[in-house]
Amino acid sequence: MEFTVSNIEKLAGLLTPPEPDVLQGDDLPKTTDYEITTSRDNKKSETAKTYKTIEEYETQQAEDADLIGTTGLRVEDRKAPAYTMNYQQSVSAEDVFLQMGPKTPSSASCENLIVRVVMTGDKKENIDLSVDTNSVTIASSRYYLKLPLPHEINPDTSKANWDSAEESLVLTLKLNREFDFVNF
């Protein structure tokens, strides 16, 4: 067999896999009576507002900031309180000084999830608390928070305390992990 340019091109055509038939854009059959459109550009022009004074701009920004604080967690006119989540690990002298225990400084060795919810102006009598294995719901006359948790917890062994000095609710949630027998 002779290796000419045409023979090599034919051989290359045999060795390359065929391209799949893909319909794109105008090639698609028009069998439906429906039309897909977007109204995104129209909404942008409606919501874009020009401000005449700086004061008007600042008041609008303040109103938008209040709305952002309640979006997604809003029930009626109650705001979402500020909260923090921290992990807590129980350590002994063996763990700290002798490093003989199986614990590590990572969050994999933590037993508790501490959630501190700042509820300024509320009292503990007004708070309704509901704890599930995957979420915490806090409702009061001023605040409402439905908080999904990053880890599954055991609601039966968890605790809640009211810190009256800081007007905050402190939840100590016992983590329920699958491999605790390995870590401890």
Side-chain angles (χ1 to χ4, degrees):
M1 177 175 188
E2 240 177 85
F3 291 107
T4 62
V5 176
S6 63
N7 285 342
I8 292 176
E9 288 176 353
K10 289 178 185 177
L11 182 61
L14 289 173
L15 295 176
T16 57
E19 292 186 20
D21 293 332
V22 178
L23 299 177
Q24 295 184 3
D26 296 331
D27 299 334
L28 293 173
K30 299 198 184 276
T31 58
T32 63
D33 296 332
Y34 303 104
E35 184 178 337
I36 299 173
T37 61
T38 181
S39 60
R40 221 180 263 182
D41 296 332
N42 297 340
K43 288 185 180 179
K44 282 184 183 177
S45 62
E46 291 173 7
T47 57
K49 183 179 177 184
T50 57
Y51 301 102
K52 295 180 181 178
T53 63
I54 291 178
E55 291 82 15
E56 185 179 333
Y57 173 77
E58 289 175 348
T59 56
Q60 183 64 38
Q61 291 297 320
E63 290 173 6
D64 290 345
D66 288 341
L67 282 176
I68 288 172
T70 60
T71 303
L73 305 172
R74 186 174 184 166
V75 172
E76 301 163 1
D77 289 332
R78 295 185 274 180
K79 291 186 178 183
Y83 66 91
T84 58
M85 284 188 186
N86 295 318
Y87 290 98
Q88 183 183 39
Q89 187 178 92
S90 300
V91 292
S92 64
E94 293 174 345
D95 297 321
V96 175
F97 297 110
L98 302 175
Q99 297 179 351
M100 294 175 60
K103 293 188 179 182
T104 64
S106 71
S107 63
S109 297
C110 294
E111 293 89 11
N112 297 321
L113 178 66
I114 308 296
V115 179
R116 181 177 292 271
V117 183
V118 179
M119 303 180 77
T120 308
D122 253 336
K123 296 181 180 178
K124 72 176 183 177
E125 294 84 21
N126 299 336
I127 298 172
D128 183 25
L129 175 65
S130 173
V131 179
D132 193 4
T133 58
N134 295 319
S135 66
V136 173
T137 305
I138 301 169
S140 71
S141 58
R142 293 183 179 202
Y143 299 103
Y144 179 81
L145 178 66
K146 180 156 180 73
L147 184 64
L149 299 173
H151 298 287
E152 193 172 302
I153 64 160
N154 185 355
D156 297 329
T157 58
S158 298
K159 300 178 203 170
N161 292 321
W162 177 254
D163 186 359
S164 57
E166 295 184 17
E167 293 182 324
S168 62
L169 182 65
V170 180
L171 305 173
T172 305
L173 307 172
K174 180 76 172 163
L175 294 175
N176 187 18
R177 292 176 302 196
E178 188 177 359
F179 297 110
D180 274 351
F181 64 91
V182 175
N183 293 328
F184 306 111

